[in-house]
Amino acid sequence: MEIEKARIVVDGLKEAGINFTVGLPDSQFHEVYEQILQDPSLKYVGAGNEAEGASIAMGAWFGGKKPALIIATSGLLVATFSLARLHLKEVPLLVLIPYRGDLGDPRWMGIYKQFVEPMLNSMDIPYKIVSRKDEIKQTIADCQICAEAWLKPVAVLVTGEALW
Amino acid sequence: MKRFDCFKSLAAMLGPDDIVVANVGPISREWNALRPSEANLLQVNLGLCAAVGLGIAITLPHRRVVILDGDGNLLLNLASLADMANQGLKNVLHIVLDNETYEGGGGLPSATAGKADLALIAKGAGIENARVVTVLDDFAQAAGDALRSSGHRFIVAKVDKGTVEKLPTLTLDGKEGKYRFARYIERTEGKQILRPRYTHI
């Protein structure tokens, strides 16, 4: 991933008002995590698994932060139970995922595409797929505004096509 | 040792501003009966209690956060112990009411009925102040010591199975509990948490 594209993702988070990040690293977003770690305005908390990460983010929201959960596509599946609880309680959370299984994926992981989007649909979690670099910032901003207004998790899936 | 007696002891020691995050089930019902308060975030689901408490404790470092956890609840997400330890928290008292049972699920034994020792696991995760108590006086002393000092304390209270009779029904559901707690934090912290942006509707 180019540093410049990682910068766009990180700037997009900041411009959207995100000030607390929780994650479990994914290789597709390595440079994003590196930049977040160096930026205290995005206070990063590492989680041992993605379900725990979603719950840490919920706690941070109660404390007045605007959190984002930044996890792998596979991690979304681990986070499912926590996200369901956030959804039931109506807690806003931006979920940012480097999306595997779509154009630009360095290795074919199409199986993810077979279940991630149906799963988000069945959980009634709105999502946007970003496949162009110049759509990254605006999509993050729009999804964060909606998460806050709707009081629910909203996901941004950034494909390899936008990142590489 | 009865969980309800532990809670009576703890409730008498807490101030009105102390935030309590409580596990779903009898823990929330008993605690609510003894210390009804907007500063309680109740009915936090299996595996999530410590993590939600962690998020609150990091973002409100000037507020004391008491986590009332269960053995089954914590066992579902042991990673939260390691992640809490690495945050260097100064404001957390994490109490596990360990009845060695999945009580809400019908009473089958949890791993702590066997060989698992949550205090040892917590120490291994990096939480230095971790201990087990089995009698009420020791619980009261351990909780009192923790509340008189800053830091991150972890207490495993070995309690009997079962709850007290005729507990008041917890009429609050998760969503109302969320609004109540968020409004409380808004009021006491001077922050807007719910829908902070302007909208035209």
Side-chain angles (χ1 to χ4, degrees), chain A residues 13 31 53 86-87 89:
Chain A
L13 290 169
E31 291 81 359
L86 264 74
H87 205 316
K89 289 186 166 70

Side-chain angles (χ1 to χ4, degrees), chain A residues 118-137:
Chain A
M119 190 198 76
L120 289 169
N121 285 327
S122 65
M123 291 179 73
D124 192 27
I125 294 178
Y127 64 93
K128 293 287 273 186
I129 298 173
V130 183
S131 56
R132 289 169 51 85
K133 179 185 78 170
D134 55 8
E135 293 173 349
I136 292 174
K137 277 190 182 180

Side-chain angles (χ1 to χ4, degrees), chain B residues 87-157:
Chain B
Q87 289 299 321
L89 301 167
K90 303 291 184 197
N91 57 335
V92 169
L93 170 56
H94 188 175
I95 300 172
V96 181
L97 290 307
D98 182 3
N99 61 5
E100 304 180 352
T101 303
Y102 291 99
E103 193 173 339
L108 290 178
S110 76
T112 61
K115 295 182 178 178
D117 181 332
L118 289 172
L120 268 179
I121 292 170
K123 284 183 180 175
I127 301 168
E128 293 175 9
N129 289 302
R131 61 177 293 192
V132 179
V133 294
T134 57
V135 296
L136 190 58
D137 285 348
D138 288 350
F139 173 82
Q141 184 174 357
D145 288 348
L147 294 170
R148 281 188 292 273
S149 59
S150 67
H152 178 188
R153 302 292 183 103
F154 183 85
I155 300 170
V156 177

